Amino acid sequence: MARYSFKDVEPKWQQVWESKGIFKTPANPAKKYYVLEMFPYPSGDLHVGHLKNYVIGDVVARYKKLNGFDILHPMGFDAFGLPAENAAIERNVSPAGWTYGNIETYKKTMSLLGLSYDWDREVVTCREDYYRWTQHIFQLLYDNGLAYRKKAFVNWCNDCQTVLANEQVENGVCYRHGTPVTKKNLEQWFLKITDFADDLLADLDLLKNWPESVKKQQFDWIGKSYGVEIQFEQPELNQKLTVFTTRPDTIYGVTFVTISPEQPLVEEIKKLVPDSVKKGIEAYQVASKAKTEIERTSTGEKTGIYSGLDLIHPLTGKKVPLWIGDYVLATYGTGIVMGVPAHDERDFAFAKRYELPIILVIQNPEQNLNSETMETAWTDDGIMVNTPGFEGKSSTDFIQAIADEIQTKGLGRKTINYRLRDWLISRQRYWGAPIPMIHCPACGVVKDPNLPVRLPAENKVQLKPQGKTPLETDESWLNTTCPSCGGPAKRDPDTMDTFMCSSWYYLRYADNKNSEKLFDTEIANTWLPVDQYIGGAEHAVLHLLYSRFITKALHRIGLVGFTEPFTNLFTQGMVTMFSPKTGKLEKMSKSKGNVVPVGEFVREWGADTGRVMILFAAPPERDFEWTNEGVAGANRFLNRIWTFVQDNLDLLAPAEFKSQFEISQLTPDSFKIYQKTHQTVKKVSADLNEFKFNTAVAAFMELMNDLNKTDRKSLEESEEFQRVIKHCIVRFLEVFTPIAPHISEELLSQLGFAGTVFDRGWPSWHEDATVSDTVSIVIQINGKLRGNLDVARDSDDESVKKLALENEQARKFLAGLSVVKLIVIPNKLINIVAK
RNA sequence: GCCGAGAUGUUGGAAUAGGUAGACAAGAGGGACUUAAAAUCCCUUGGCUGCUAACAGCCGUGCGGGUUCGAUUCCCGCUCUCGGUACCA
């Protein structure tokens, strides 16, 4: 018996789908469904760890298509970015050549898998026909006041040799390299994502089918907090110092105020203090700036220096010293905080180090706090003390009262602060979309009207970072004329963060060939939002937040009719494998030396085996380990299906195909397999809707195990039985096509069906056949399983009780006991409570 | 530290409007076929006890309590693991 020869079958069906144009996007969808997997950055070649994302998307796309939806299922490449540029520097290759070569490799590999993409919809972010529109979006944002330039202390990664957005700094290190990030004071382009902070927060509620963890991460990242700004006067300074606090209830506990060394007011302060103090402040500023982000933010020492000035406490009128300390962030709130050592850990540590006084204003419920002896700050609620007019009252009541009082007395105002900052998008690198702006000495910043602003030729620029942006090294590119006055001007030398490229690609797929516009609004509104987005959870606050922002911005500008890009989001777990380098399970990656290349895998096992393996191994949201045993098991299963059909093809192929049977006409054996088949169709339909691929595959295995028990002799003897078994295997194969499309199509065709499964669609199940006339009822005695009872479905409780008490097994256990109570759960169990 | 998710056989995992725990696989053991091996097929496979067996009993879903006729599922208190986060005042 020939084993399943995937080497012939898989290319054959890929060819059929291709030639029939099955996966082409319909122009005027009646029932649209947009399935999208996060597009890859093309680096090297695909390994099986990458596959999970694409396989899940393909199952969804095929399943929806079989159910009559008009599908948009595109693929493309996130093609600008550092790896290409680094490869260029290290190996002297061309960034563009390297990238396009990888894209070709990726596409070739993807074509082995039978994925249902419409490649006519492809987008490649580094191509001119794409990045000119990325530049166009930038200019649109600029026109609408959503892109601006400012000088700020920004995150600098020495490995990237460029600045990074806040979202790209994790725990003080670069998200890519893990190298410590330092601060640089540079003038850069920012996008006003903070303008949408409230919408981004509120609309999380609309995202019903997003993982809670992703929504939570975005919620925390936006970090909305309600508080009060309070002003402290300084007699010599001509302006007041404003602090932001969420704890105005601790106002009477203020014993100092701390200002961040980068806060601009520090410069004013320096003018008022004696030279010796000024020198100290400057030395401190230099020292702070030299620290890495980790050194500044890790739990370590809180350092500071006395500014030489004192402030007036707005309520007590007493003097409190003003300190400069780099534990205060210049970019959050006002960059100045009030020091309440008794009720804030950081202030407590600072006060202890510099021997500043501690005033207790909130007493704990045990009433045992004492400012002299406390060893840690009390940050919870409690009872007010040392607070005129509120002694003995609850701090939770006081917090509102004092906020109101501060506001009415004109000492400050209630306000809201966000942790979210504007998105810094300038990058001092070559391989990205140039920022399409011109700097003119006369006119200032002017839009370049000639898009695309092309990158200078690779051989004209110095890619290796040397304190200049690579684009600046091509003078002929850099120097241009001002579109406004015609005088000499310079181009903006930076490129855009590549997250900008990926924050709108899902829109371009809808109308990817439009050379006149970003996209046609009507077409975008037809296909979007994306119905099902699938990707890794690591993008929770990067790509997914930026994309939501860009969608909202384009909505405000009037280019799209929706406010959220992705209606449903599924985040798959990663594929792990034992790494010989680290000696443990690791995410599959080249650097860990634990990859299985897709090409090699498909040559040895075929695409369908890989698909079944990935879907069966574990629930898709969970991580799973890639194992040879798992692969072999998946392959064995496919071969069992193949063999079953081959063994019986002589009888099944000629048999008439009936789409439904009369239950009463079926023999018991026929009914059993017919029932199992329809239960399977029902279960698989439900499981695919819920992304429960692993249990769907298990259901197929169960049905196959039953089909394999088919008695060849009975089959030979009864034409009716042949028709039943044909019906069952056909239904099996039809609903199996989203999971293993090649083998399923091939066997359906061998069984006598012309065309493809898409000609027939998803079968409905025979509901009456999924239930039985009789059910097995469990007999429990005092909660313990003691026997079984076969009764008619929906038997009344009384007859079940009677049968249970008469049951031989039950009587054995009831000997010497008296029955106290009977609990009947219809069609499930009866519990006899006895003493 | 804080926030979130989780803990079920040798392993991946099933089963939760509370109702037969371990579906389906993997691995292991035994058998059939074969000169042999591979492949394939069949059987066994949570632990303990009853000398062995069919069989029977007891225990068993991280730990300790609780609610209930009945708890992997609900409640309270722990332990551990994995993610996320990191001076945001």
Side-chain angles (χ1 to χ4, degrees):
Chain A
M1 175 56 54
R3 285 172 64 78
Y4 169 43
S5 171
F6 61 84
K7 280 184 181 153
D8 306 319
V9 168
E10 292 188 345
K12 170 184 161 187
W13 285 96
Q14 286 159 14
Q15 184 66 47
V16 171
W17 300 324
E18 167 79 30
S19 66
K20 290 182 178 245
I22 301 235
F23 305 125
K24 294 291 169 239
T25 314
N28 299 300
K31 238 173 104 185
K32 75 97 180 176
Y33 198 90
Y34 186 176
V35 191
L36 184 64
E37 298 111 67
M38 289 181 184
F39 69 165
Y41 179 84
S43 118
D45 193 6
L46 287 169
H47 56 70
V48 294
H50 294 116
L51 235 59
K52 196 167 169 184
N53 189 225
Y54 309 125
V55 169
I56 293 170
D58 195 57
V59 171
V60 173
R62 286 173 180 268
Y63 175 61
K64 291 289 175 186
K65 183 170 175 63
L66 286 167
N67 278 282
F69 287 91
D70 295 315
I71 306 294
L72 172 57
H73 186 209
M75 184 43 69
F77 297 93
D78 187 16
F80 270 140
L82 273 186
E85 199 165 338
N86 290 339
I89 294 164
E90 285 158 24
R91 284 175 273 146
N92 199 29
V93 297
S94 138
W98 185 84
T99 303
Y100 288 118
N102 285 340
I103 289 176
E104 278 321 298
T105 308
Y106 263 53
K107 287 175 78 168
K108 221 177 269 171
T109 305
M110 282 177 162
S111 75
L112 298 173
L113 296 164
L115 301 171
S116 59
Y117 298 129
D118 177 0
W119 283 105
D120 288 350
R121 297 281 170 154
E122 179 182 7
V123 303
V124 177
T125 61
C126 68
R127 280 201 329 229
E128 276 174 35
D129 65 357
Y130 184 88
Y131 78 70
R132 70 161 289 175
W133 299 113
T134 307
Q135 292 173 334
H136 177 70
I137 291 178
F138 178 88
Q139 292 187 344
L140 275 175
L141 296 174
Y142 179 76
D143 289 341
N144 286 275
L146 294 171
Y148 66 97
R149 247 167 110 69
K150 78 171 173 193
K151 194 165 187 184
F153 284 90
V154 294
N155 307 302
W156 175 267
C157 169
N158 216 41
D159 270 17
C160 296
Q161 279 291 313
T162 182
V163 298
L164 298 172
N166 281 313
E167 289 79 10
Q168 292 154 19
V169 180
E170 294 171 350
N171 208 354
V173 303
C174 168
Y175 80 116
R176 221 174 235 297
H177 296 101
T179 46
V181 164
T182 54
K183 293 283 183 188
K184 275 203 175 184
N185 197 13
L186 294 170
E187 187 163 15
Q188 303 275 290
W189 283 101
F190 289 83
L191 301 184
K192 242 183 187 165
I193 189 170
T194 54
D195 235 38
F196 295 86
D198 267 323
D199 291 339
L200 288 166
L201 195 62
D203 290 353
L204 287 173
D205 286 341
L206 303 175
L207 306 174
K208 304 277 184 233
N209 279 309
W210 276 43
E212 283 305 318
S213 63
V214 172
K215 287 195 275 188
K216 178 72 167 51
Q217 282 179 60
Q218 294 210 358
F219 181 92
D220 290 345
W221 187 261
I222 296 165
K224 185 176 188 174
S225 64
Y226 298 85
V228 183
E229 280 181 4
I230 305 171
Q231 293 176 340
F232 284 71
E233 260 185 273
Q234 207 296 317
E236 295 157 71
L237 204 64
N238 59 10
Q239 51 184 307
K240 292 174 178 171
L241 272 74
T242 307
V243 303
F244 172 74
T245 182
T246 55
R247 294 294 304 275
D249 53 328
T250 63
I251 180 81
Y252 286 96
V254 174
T255 57
F256 60 96
V257 168
T258 312
I259 184 167
S260 166
E262 286 99 12
Q263 225 279 1
L265 267 174
V266 174
E267 302 312 310
E268 301 302 314
I269 291 162
K270 276 168 24 187
K271 290 178 192 159
L272 295 175
V273 296
D275 251 16
S276 58
V277 179
K278 185 180 164 190
K279 284 210 176 91
I281 294 175
E282 280 174 347
Y284 184 73
Q285 285 180 309
V286 170
S288 293
K289 215 180 135 188
K291 287 185 194 171
T292 64
E293 194 74 2
I294 298 192
E295 285 168 329
R296 273 181 75 153
T297 61
S298 64
T299 49
E301 298 279 274
K302 308 239 173 302
T303 64
I305 186 167
Y306 177 52
S307 72
L309 299 179
D310 292 330
L311 306 176
I312 311 292
H313 188 292
L315 291 173
T316 64
K318 286 183 186 158
K319 281 210 293 191
V320 290
L322 174 64
W323 282 69
I324 297 168
D326 65 8
Y327 74 95
V328 178
L329 303 174
T331 49
Y332 183 77
T334 59
I336 311 172
V337 301
M338 58 187 212
V340 186
H343 305 292
D344 182 281
E345 294 293 355
R346 297 152 299 184
D347 297 342
F348 186 85
F350 195 75
K352 281 288 172 196
R353 179 174 175 136
Y354 294 106
E355 296 179 338
L356 297 163
I358 295 171
I359 302 173
L360 187 77
V361 292
I362 297 173
Q363 183 56 264
N364 71 5
E366 289 81 35
Q367 305 272 319
N368 59 10
L369 290 177
N370 180 312
S371 60
E372 309 277 306
T373 57
M374 61 198 298
E375 285 174 0
T376 170
W378 174 258
T379 57
D380 283 353
D381 302 332
I383 305 300
M384 301 310 305
V385 294
N386 297 324
T387 300
F390 255 86
E391 295 287 328
K393 296 196 175 148
S394 146
S395 67
T396 46
D397 294 338
F398 182 55
I399 196 163
Q400 268 311 316
I402 189 70
D404 290 338
E405 188 185 326
I406 288 166
Q407 186 145 317
T408 42
K409 280 189 177 164
L411 303 171
R413 61 188 186 99
K414 292 193 213 175
T415 183
I416 291 166
N417 251 301
Y418 297 88
R419 172 204 167 97
L420 181 72
R421 306 294 141 68
D422 279 338
W423 177 14
L424 165 56
I425 58 141
S426 303
R427 293 291 178 275
Q428 291 72 47
R429 297 301 298 245
Y430 171 75
W431 193 233
I435 294 175
M437 304 301 273
I438 289 168
H439 302 276
C440 169
C443 311
V445 176
V446 185
K447 283 191 293 176
D448 191 328
N450 300 311
L451 299 187
V453 175
R454 294 190 176 81
L455 281 168
E458 289 169 3
N459 57 8
K460 292 263 189 69
V461 294
Q462 278 293 328
L463 291 181
K464 201 161 190 160
Q466 43 196 339
K468 265 181 167 183
T469 288
L471 303 195
E472 268 179 300
T473 61
D474 180 358
E475 294 275 336
S476 66
W477 181 88
L478 188 68
N479 292 307
T480 183
T481 52
C482 171
S484 178
C485 69
K490 285 191 194 306
R491 295 186 187 280
D492 194 291
D494 290 343
T495 51
M496 284 186 249
D497 182 1
T498 55
F499 278 105
M500 182 71 186
C501 308
S502 59
S503 65
W504 74 282
Y505 77 108
Y506 50 92
L507 295 163
R508 182 70 181 175
Y509 279 136
D511 191 19
N512 68 329
K513 297 206 168 63
N514 200 323
S515 56
E516 306 296 315
K517 291 190 274 189
L518 190 53
F519 49 76
D520 182 272
T521 294
E522 205 179 311
I523 296 174
N525 287 341
T526 299
W527 282 109
L528 284 129
V530 174
D531 295 282
Q532 184 63 61
Y533 198 30
I534 301 155
E538 66 273 19
H539 292 106
V541 289
L542 289 160
H543 166 62
L544 289 168
L545 188 65
Y546 295 143
S547 296
R548 293 182 65 218
F549 157 58
I550 291 293
T551 297
K552 286 180 190 306
L554 293 179
H555 178 259
R556 183 187 284 181
I557 294 167
L559 289 176
V560 297
F562 45 90
T563 56
E564 284 291 338
F566 314 121
T567 310
N568 301 296
L569 172 69
F570 186 85
T571 50
Q572 85 271 1
M574 56 190 192
V575 179
T576 65
M577 196 162 107
F578 180 82
S579 161
K581 286 192 185 163
T582 66
K584 38 180 194 184
L585 279 183
E586 300 275 5
K587 179 179 180 174
M588 204 176 264
S589 84
K590 231 178 180 172
S591 64
K592 293 283 194 298
N594 59 347
V595 297
V596 178
V598 170
E600 250 172 59
F601 177 82
V602 171
R603 258 194 302 286
E604 190 174 350
W605 296 98
D608 282 350
T609 292
R611 296 171 67 115
V612 170
M613 153 74 185
I614 284 167
L615 296 169
F616 181 60
E621 67 278 10
R622 226 181 280 184
D623 295 349
F624 83 88
E625 186 191 351
W626 186 271
T627 60
N628 291 333
E629 288 81 8
V631 171
N635 190 253
R636 210 171 294 151
F637 174 50
L638 294 183
N639 269 303
R640 276 210 304 276
I641 302 167
W642 181 263
T643 308
F644 172 78
V645 175
Q646 303 311 315
D647 284 350
N648 300 298
L649 199 57
D650 55 336
L651 301 176
L652 297 180
E656 177 202 357
F657 177 72
K658 282 177 70 176
S659 60
Q660 191 160 318
F661 287 80
E662 196 64 50
I663 294 170
S664 59
Q665 309 284 305
L666 293 170
T667 65
D669 277 355
S670 290
F671 176 72
K672 230 173 110 189
I673 192 72
Y674 184 73
Q675 172 176 258
K676 183 74 181 174
T677 301
H678 284 267
Q679 285 170 341
T680 303
V681 173
K682 183 178 181 175
K683 178 170 173 55
V684 168
S685 302
D687 281 355
L688 294 192
N689 278 329
E690 293 163 43
F691 283 71
K692 290 162 84 174
F693 308 120
N694 57 325
T695 52
V697 174
F700 283 116
M701 287 171 167
E702 282 189 48
L703 176 56
M704 198 59 232
N705 288 344
D706 284 358
L707 278 167
N708 257 328
K709 290 181 188 127
T710 304
D711 181 35
R712 171 75 191 181
K713 211 162 168 207
S714 315
L715 201 62
E716 281 164 359
E717 282 162 7
S718 161
E719 283 187 21
E720 178 67 359
F721 194 43
Q722 289 166 17
R723 287 191 281 272
V724 171
I725 293 297
K726 176 157 183 170
H727 169 90
C728 293
I729 186 67
V730 166
R731 286 288 180 257
F732 175 107
L733 293 169
E734 285 169 343
V735 294
F736 196 48
T737 52
I739 289 168
H742 308 90
I743 190 172
S744 304
E745 289 273 30
E746 174 64 19
L747 291 176
L748 282 167
S749 128
Q750 291 185 13
L751 284 163
F753 293 93
T756 74
V757 69
F758 296 104
D759 297 328
R760 292 196 308 288
W762 194 256
S764 54
W765 60 89
H766 191 171
E767 181 65 37
D768 290 346
T770 60
V771 294
S772 309
D773 293 343
T774 59
V775 289
S776 174
I777 286 188
V778 168
I779 303 175
Q780 289 186 345
I781 290 167
N782 292 331
K784 283 189 174 156
L785 173 67
R786 295 304 183 196
N788 276 289
L789 215 53
D790 284 330
V791 300
R793 170 169 290 276
D794 298 329
S795 298
D796 63 285
D797 290 2
E798 289 314 310
S799 60
V800 170
K801 285 179 186 172
K802 194 161 161 263
L803 284 167
L805 292 170
E806 285 167 359
N807 181 275
E808 208 179 310
Q809 282 291 325
R811 288 173 66 148
K812 223 169 81 186
F813 285 93
L814 285 170
L817 298 174
S818 62
V819 175
V820 178
K821 204 169 162 187
L822 293 167
I823 293 142
V824 178
I825 307 297
N827 297 324
K828 282 211 168 139
L829 67 70
I830 174 165
N831 190 10
I832 303 168
V833 185
K835 275 187 176 174

